[in-house]
C-alpha cells in the first residue's frame, strides 16, 4: 500500500513508514497484479483529507517495453500544526505470471522527502497477487512484501488484502485491510472502503474513507478523492 495512508499521528517518520508499495495508485492502497498495456500511460491524482492535515499526490506511469511499468510520484503534505514538506517516489512493476483467473506481479519502490537526508528513504519490495472470481465480477488482491525503513532503521514485513466488486461495467466498490508485522509504536494496521466510477473510457473518479485498525482517532481517519486518466496515444 501506499505512502498515502498514515495510521498514527501524522509525522514525517510515520508518513514514510506506512506503505505497502511505494504508491500502489488511486484508489486502493493494496496493489493489484496488473500492469499498463504496452506503450500506454496513465496519470493518477488524489487528495487525502485529515482533520489536521492533507496530502496531495500526482503519479504518472508508462509501460515503454511491454514488460515493465515505470512511474514516479510527487506529493505535498500540509499540516495545521507542523511544517509542510514534499514527497517523492519511484516505482517499477512487472508481471511475473498471468494464468487463467489469476496473476502475480512484482513491485519495487522507494519514497523520500525533502526534509530528510538523501540516503534516508523507505524501500519496498511487494508481490501483488490477484484472483478473478465469479466470472470476473469479483477481484481478490493479496499483497506480501518487505520494507526497509532507513529513517527508523527498521525492516518490516508487509501484508494487504483487498476485494473489488464490479456492480456494472462503470461502477465498482472496494474494501481492504493492510499493515506490517512490526510490534509496538511502529506497528501499522489500517482499512479503507470506497467506490470508483468510470466516467468515460479514459476518466475514472473515486471516493473512499479510511482509518487505523490499531489506534483510530480523529487524526488518523481520512477521506480520499481521486481520479485516473489513461491514454494509449502518447507513445504511438
Amino acid at each position: 500500500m501506499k505512502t498515502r495512508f498514515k495510521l498514527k499521528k501524522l509525522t514525517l517518520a510515520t508518513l514514510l513508514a506506512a506503505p505497502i508499495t511505494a504508491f500502489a495508485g488511486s484508489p486502493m492502497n493494496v496493489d493489484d497484479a496488473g500492469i499498463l498495456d504496452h506503450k500506454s500511460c496513465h496519470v493518477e491524482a488524489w487528495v487525502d483529507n485529515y482533520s489536521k492535515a492533507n496530502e496531495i499526490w500526482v503519479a504518472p506511469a508508462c509501460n515503454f517495453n511491454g514488460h515493465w511499468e515505470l512511474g514516479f510520484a510527487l506529493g505535498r503534505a500540509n499540516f495545521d500544526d507542523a511544517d509542510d514538506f514534499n514527497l517523492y517516489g519511484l516505482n517499477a512493476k512487472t508481471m511475473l505470471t498471468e494464468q487463467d483467473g489469476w496473476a502475480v506481479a512484482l513491485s519495487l519502490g522507494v519514497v523520500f522527502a525533502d526534509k530528510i537526508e538523501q540516503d534516508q528513504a523507505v524501500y519496498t519490495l511487494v508481490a501483488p497477487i490477484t484472483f478473478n472470481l465469479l466470472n470476473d465480477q469479483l477481484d481478490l488482491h493479496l499483497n506480501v512484501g518487505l520494507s526497509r525503513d532507513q529513517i527508523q532503521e527498521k525492516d518490516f514485513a508487509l501484508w494487504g488484502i483487498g476485494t473489488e466488486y464490479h456492480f456494472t461495467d462503470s461502477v465498482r466498490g472496494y474494501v481492504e485491510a493492510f499493515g506490517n508485522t512490526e510490534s509496538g509504536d511502529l506497528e501499522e494496521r489500517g482499512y479503507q472502503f470506497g467506490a470508483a466510477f468510470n466516467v468515460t473510457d479514459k476518466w475514472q473518479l473515486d471516493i473512499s474513507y479510511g482509518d487505523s485498525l490499531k489506534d483510530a482517532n480523529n487524526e488518523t481517519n481520512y477521506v480520499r478523492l481521486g481520479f485516473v486518466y489513461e491514454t494509449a496515444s502518447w507513445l504511438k
Side-chain angles (χ1 to χ4, degrees), residues 133-145:
L133 309 171
L134 302 179
N135 295 319
D136 293 337
Q137 195 168 13
L138 178 68
D139 298 326
L140 173 64
H141 309 300
L142 305 175
N143 285 185
V144 291

Side-chain angles (χ1 to χ4, degrees), residues 22-59:
F23 42 93
S26 179
M28 295 183 69
N29 291 302
V30 176
D31 203 1
D32 61 64
I35 62 173
L36 291 169
D37 293 335
H38 185 207
K39 293 186 177 180
S40 66
C41 299
H42 70 197
V43 178
E44 300 173 337
W46 62 90
V47 178
D48 288 350
N49 292 290
Y50 297 81
S51 63
K52 296 183 178 180
N54 67 72
E55 277 185 74
I56 303 171
W57 283 91
V58 177

Side-chain angles (χ1 to χ4, degrees), residues 34-203:
I35 62 173
L36 291 169
D37 293 335
H38 185 207
K39 293 186 177 180
S40 66
C41 299
H42 70 197
V43 178
E44 300 173 337
W46 62 90
V47 178
D48 288 350
N49 292 290
Y50 297 81
S51 63
K52 296 183 178 180
N54 67 72
E55 277 185 74
I56 303 171
W57 283 91
V58 177
C62 290
N63 184 339
F64 295 100
N65 64 359
H67 302 291
W68 283 91
E69 176 184 312
L70 304 176
F72 69 92
L74 302 175
R76 176 73 176 176
N78 303 298
F79 299 89
D80 291 347
D81 54 2
D83 292 336
D84 302 338
F85 55 84
N86 298 313
L87 291 149
Y88 312 94
L90 298 172
N91 193 69
K93 184 180 177 184
T94 188
M95 184 85 71
L96 297 180
T97 183
E98 184 176 13
Q99 306 296 326
D100 185 20
W102 62 277
V104 181
L106 181 68
S107 179
L108 309 171
V110 58
V111 179
F112 53 95
D114 60 3
K115 296 289 186 180
I116 59 176
E117 298 178 10
Q118 283 189 329
D119 61 347
Q120 290 185 318
V122 176
Y123 298 89
T124 57
L125 185 153
V126 174
I129 306 167
T130 294
F131 298 92
N132 303 125
L133 309 171
L134 302 179
N135 295 319
D136 293 337
Q137 195 168 13
L138 178 68
D139 298 326
L140 173 64
H141 309 300
L142 305 175
N143 285 185
V144 291
L146 299 171
S147 177
R148 172 58 178 169
D149 185 343
Q150 293 183 326
I151 303 169
Q152 305 280 1
E153 297 185 345
K154 287 280 188 176
D155 296 318
F156 302 99
L158 303 171
W159 61 269
I161 180 171
T163 60
E164 293 182 87
Y165 187 82
H166 299 259
F167 295 100
T168 68
D169 290 340
S170 58
V171 179
R172 71 185 191 275
Y174 50 88
V175 60
E176 59 183 342
F178 43 87
N180 64 29
T181 58
E182 186 60 37
S183 61
D185 290 340
L186 297 179
E187 181 183 12
E188 307 284 356
R189 298 195 309 267
Y191 71 90
Q192 181 181 251
F193 61 88
F197 309 89
N198 293 330
V199 180
T200 69
D201 60 344
K202 294 183 178 181
W203 285 95

Side-chain angles (χ1 to χ4, degrees), residues 4-7 27 29 47-51 174-178 189-194 207-213 216-225:
R4 300 173 268 137
F5 191 78
K6 281 72 60 192
L7 302 175
N29 291 302
V47 178
D48 288 350
N49 292 290
Y50 297 81
S51 63
Y174 50 88
V175 60
E176 59 183 342
F178 43 87
R189 298 195 309 267
Y191 71 90
Q192 181 181 251
F193 61 88
I207 182 170
S208 54
Y209 174 87
D211 204 349
S212 172
L213 284 169
N217 57 54
N218 61 5
E219 292 187 17
T220 60
N221 61 342
Y222 68 91
V223 174
R224 173 176 300 161
L225 300 174

